Amino acid sequence: MRPGLLTFKVHRPLEIPLPESCLATVIGESLGRCDTVATLASLLTEPISAVHIFRREALPPEQGPDPVLEELRSAVCALRLPMDSQSPWIADVIVGEHGEPLMVGRHRKGLPAHPCPGALPELTLPAHAPSRAWLKMRQSLAWLELGEAELKGRSALELGSAPGGASLALLEMGMQVIGVDSAAMHPQLLSHPQFTHLRQSAGAVGPKDLPMRVDLLCCDMNLHPGVSLRYCRKLCRLLQPRWIIFTLKINDDAVASEMEDWLDSLRSWAPSEVHARTLPANRREITVVSSMADL
Ligand SMILES: C[S@@+](CC[C@H](N)C(=O)[O-])C[C@H]1O[C@@H](n2cnc3c(N)ncnc32)[C@H](O)[C@@H]1O
């Protein structure tokens, strides 16, 4: 109905859990609209454990903290809302253009939802990052709630690692990273003691080049999902990762319409439940994650 927001009318009791879509960033049940946050409480008939306030169209992360959202967050803190840390519900307050009513909804916490408002951890792309994939990786790690405490000392393999933004984000978490790409890596990656570059195609990488296991398998190759998933499947079987983070490219409309089929094929061999969403840093691609911690 507005850029970044799609609503559907349902003429029967709402099906819970709501249907998923890999093309959505946040999926929730609409509770109504309000002109100011002061009337938010009247829309919340059940307790919530948190309020997520985010823009209908995310601002570029380069702009840093968003004063409009900051002001709304302070106003919400001052309200008496039905808060209960045990509640499975998170309220969503979606902010549009100036003068547009706030759209209020709710979603269930936990995977497949992202834990940050609008799936957007408050991060600014550092000037030294070799590519925007740094942001994409940080948004994906935040989705799996993985930080330095979980990742330090663990290993990662990234297929399609050049020039190196995503691998840098993993190195900054204290991981050992192997990057596979026939293109050149940025010099700051090549000089990093925890980084190894395999300058070859992912299709040519085999057991002789790799450790027995890796903790995290990542894929960011600009290939058709059918090809990248074939490589990922082989390496997933070999390396038995605990976590996977893949971006699947939507190079044309045919790929977009087949995406659910590609996800079903991925679900048949992934180590655990697979979740797919479009994160704010994704362009014509989706992000897919899977975590053994789900078991
Ligand atoms: C979107 S870029 C990756 C960005 C990177 N993840 C980063 O953090 O900067 C896609 C990469 O996939 C690589 N690629 C394409 N086909 C590949 C293949 N068969 N094996 C390995 N890498 C491949 C390209 O060389 C390109 O560097």
Side-chain angles (χ1 to χ4, degrees), residues 131 133 158 160-166 180-181 183 201-202 220-223 231 249:
S131 67
E158 192 194 14
S161 56
V180 179
D181 203 309
S201 161
D220 191 23
M221 294 181 289
N222 46 10
L223 296 176
Y231 297 157
K249 309 293 169 184

Side-chain angles (χ1 to χ4, degrees), residues 109-262:
K109 68 179 171 191
L111 284 170
H114 196 289
C116 301
L120 204 54
E122 287 187 4
L123 292 166
T124 308
L125 183 67
H128 67 274
S131 67
R132 285 181 57 84
W134 183 94
L135 270 180
K136 210 159 68 177
M137 179 54 73
R138 288 294 300 265
Q139 289 174 8
S140 306
L141 294 177
W143 188 7
L144 290 173
E145 302 196 67
L146 297 175
E148 211 177 325
E150 292 76 23
L151 298 177
K152 196 175 169 65
R154 294 196 182 256
S155 56
L157 174 69
E158 192 194 14
L159 309 177
S161 56
S167 284
L168 182 66
L170 297 173
L171 291 166
E172 288 170 350
M173 293 287 170
M175 299 192 86
Q176 295 270 357
V177 182
I178 301 171
V180 179
D181 203 309
S182 44
M185 296 298 301
H186 189 279
Q188 77 174 290
L189 276 290
L190 295 176
S191 62
H192 198 295
Q194 314 279 66
F195 183 79
T196 306
H197 184 198
L198 299 180
R199 195 162 184 177
Q200 59 196 85
S201 161
V205 174
K208 65 179 185 338
D209 312 301
L210 299 169
M212 298 282 283
R213 297 212 37 182
V214 297
D215 297 302
L216 170 64
L217 178 63
C218 307
C219 169
D220 191 23
M221 294 181 289
N222 46 10
L223 296 176
H224 186 279
V227 182
S228 55
L229 287 176
R230 184 151 35 89
Y231 297 157
C232 289
R233 177 184 182 164
K234 182 182 90 176
L235 292 170
C236 206
R237 286 206 164 136
L238 183 68
L239 302 169
Q240 297 172 46
R242 182 183 171 88
W243 303 290
I244 64 174
I245 298 176
F246 298 162
T247 50
L248 298 182
K249 309 293 169 184
I250 306 177
N251 292 333
D252 54 47
D253 292 349
V255 171
S257 61
E258 291 161 4
M259 200 48 100
E260 288 299 334
D261 297 333
W262 293 119

Side-chain angles (χ1 to χ4, degrees), residues 44-50 81-91 106:
L44 300 174
T45 51
E46 282 181 55
I48 48 161
S49 53
L81 297 177
M83 304 298 293
D84 174 358
S85 60
Q86 300 303 311
S87 166
W89 295 107
I90 292 183
R106 66 175 188 174

